Amino acid sequence: MYFKMDNLNYRITDSDVMMEYINNKIRMYIEIRAEATDETEDFDMRKIRLYHHNGFSTDAAKPSELTGKTFVWECEENEEGDDAGYVYVGYHDPVSEGTIEVLAVTAEDITLRWHGIGCGLAFDTEFTAKLPEEDIYTINGWESLLMPIGEDATLELLNFPEYEEKREAVCESHKWETFHAVLKFKVRYQEKDYFGEVVYTNGKINFETYFDAACPLEVRSTGCGWDPAFGHIDFSFSVRTRV
């Protein structure tokens, strides 16, 4: 594992990979932090952060399908509109061109190589990160009320029209703190139904998830996003097997 930038060698101090499932396809998010092991008089070059916080589409339905895939950016955005990432060297700057290669995927880890240009400097790194312990699934309520959450389960929004009515009312009034709503959902897992709800109080960012503890899956809301202009009313849920 290594990290190089502008002919300097770095030690990777932290690496993280997150995966979000949208329409049953993985969107991947990456972050690497590194510290220089070579001497440098440039204080800003002593610590580097390379990240892909907006994520990028992979067209893979599960992590094993990522093995051998290569994602190329010839400029700051690709044809899908996904940015090439960002690098922080004293300031945040877009990666102007880059390539991400998935070298290996195991049951627990993923190994990536990411090389390109950021801040006008060439970088090259290879690293291994743990696969996420929980999966994030996102559904657009304007497109569908049902989505798969793994191989044996689905999640269905049960009262989206009621939620949408309250969302529209608060958008018209602009009194965001008056948003109080309950989003009900059902998880069907191994032919059994389990019910839950997300309770929003004083705004969409203040919420609690209540879900049937008898379900072998632990399901909780991680938030919602409203972007009607682009046709998105998104709900995200983390899903993991109970231990």
Side-chain angles (χ1 to χ4, degrees):
M1 304 299 104
Y2 63 86
F3 194 116
K4 297 179 179 180
M5 188 170 197
D6 194 34
N7 297 319
L8 292 175
N9 293 299
Y10 290 79
R11 176 178 63 88
I12 296 174
T13 59
D14 187 38
S15 59
D16 184 60
V17 171
M18 192 192 84
M19 298 180 184
E20 179 184 20
Y21 291 78
I22 302 176
N23 296 326
N24 211 32
K25 297 292 185 180
I26 293 173
R27 187 170 185 84
M28 188 151 57
Y29 303 77
I30 302 172
E31 180 169 350
I32 310 107
R33 296 175 183 265
E35 296 180 350
T37 55
D38 292 340
E39 291 290 333
T40 175
E41 295 181 359
D42 188 339
F43 181 80
D44 289 339
M45 291 292 291
R46 294 178 185 176
K47 291 185 178 182
I48 286 179
R49 179 178 165 217
L50 182 64
Y51 59 96
H52 224 302
H53 279 186
N54 293 323
F56 58 95
S57 302
T58 66
D59 200 37
K62 52 187 177 181
S64 60
E65 294 180 5
L66 291 166
T67 305
K69 281 185 173 286
T70 299
F71 308 93
V72 179
W73 287 261
E74 296 179 350
C75 55
E76 292 182 10
E77 281 192 0
N78 61 16
E79 294 179 354
E80 288 75 33
D82 296 329
D83 64 57
Y86 287 82
V87 63
Y88 180 81
V89 182
Y91 60 95
H92 301 272
D93 196 60
V95 172
S96 55
E97 60 181 83
T99 300
I100 296 175
E101 305 170 52
V102 183
L103 303 180
V105 180
T106 69
E108 297 180 349
D109 302 318
I110 183 169
T111 301
L112 303 168
R113 182 189 177 200
W114 188 357
H115 54 95
I117 297 175
C119 295
L121 304 173
F123 65 85
D124 188 358
T125 180
E126 182 178 317
F127 63 97
T128 297
K130 290 288 185 183
L131 287 175
E133 294 184 357
E134 61 183 13
D135 295 323
I136 305 296
Y137 294 86
T138 298
I139 184 171
N140 179 358
W142 278 7
E143 292 184 350
S144 176
L145 300 180
L146 181 72
M147 68 174 173
I149 51 172
E151 296 182 358
D152 302 318
T154 59
L155 185 148
E156 181 180 2
L157 305 181
L158 299 179
N159 67 330
F160 177 70
E162 178 183 329
Y163 174 96
E164 181 66 350
E165 182 179 333
K166 295 186 177 182
R167 184 197 68 81
E168 289 178 351
V170 77
C171 286
E172 290 178 2
S173 69
H174 296 286
K175 296 179 179 179
W176 312 112
E177 74 281 359
T178 65
F179 181 69
H180 305 283
V182 176
L183 179 70
K184 298 180 180 181
F185 64 92
K186 178 180 74 175
V187 171
R188 186 163 182 79
Y189 180 63
Q190 296 182 343
E191 306 301 322
K192 292 185 178 179
D193 292 336
Y194 303 91
F195 295 88
E197 59 186 32
V198 185
V199 179
Y200 301 86
T201 307
N202 299 326
K204 69 174 184 177
I205 64 173
N206 302 310
F207 59 87
E208 291 285 344
T209 305
Y210 302 91
F211 183 60
D212 191 341
C215 182
L217 299 178
E218 181 181 328
V219 179
R220 64 178 178 85
S221 171
T222 59
C224 61
W226 302 344
D227 197 348
F230 290 92
H232 287 275
I233 304 296
D234 294 332
F235 303 93
S236 295
F237 294 84
S238 74
V239 181
R240 64 189 299 173
T241 302
R242 294 187 190 273
V243 294

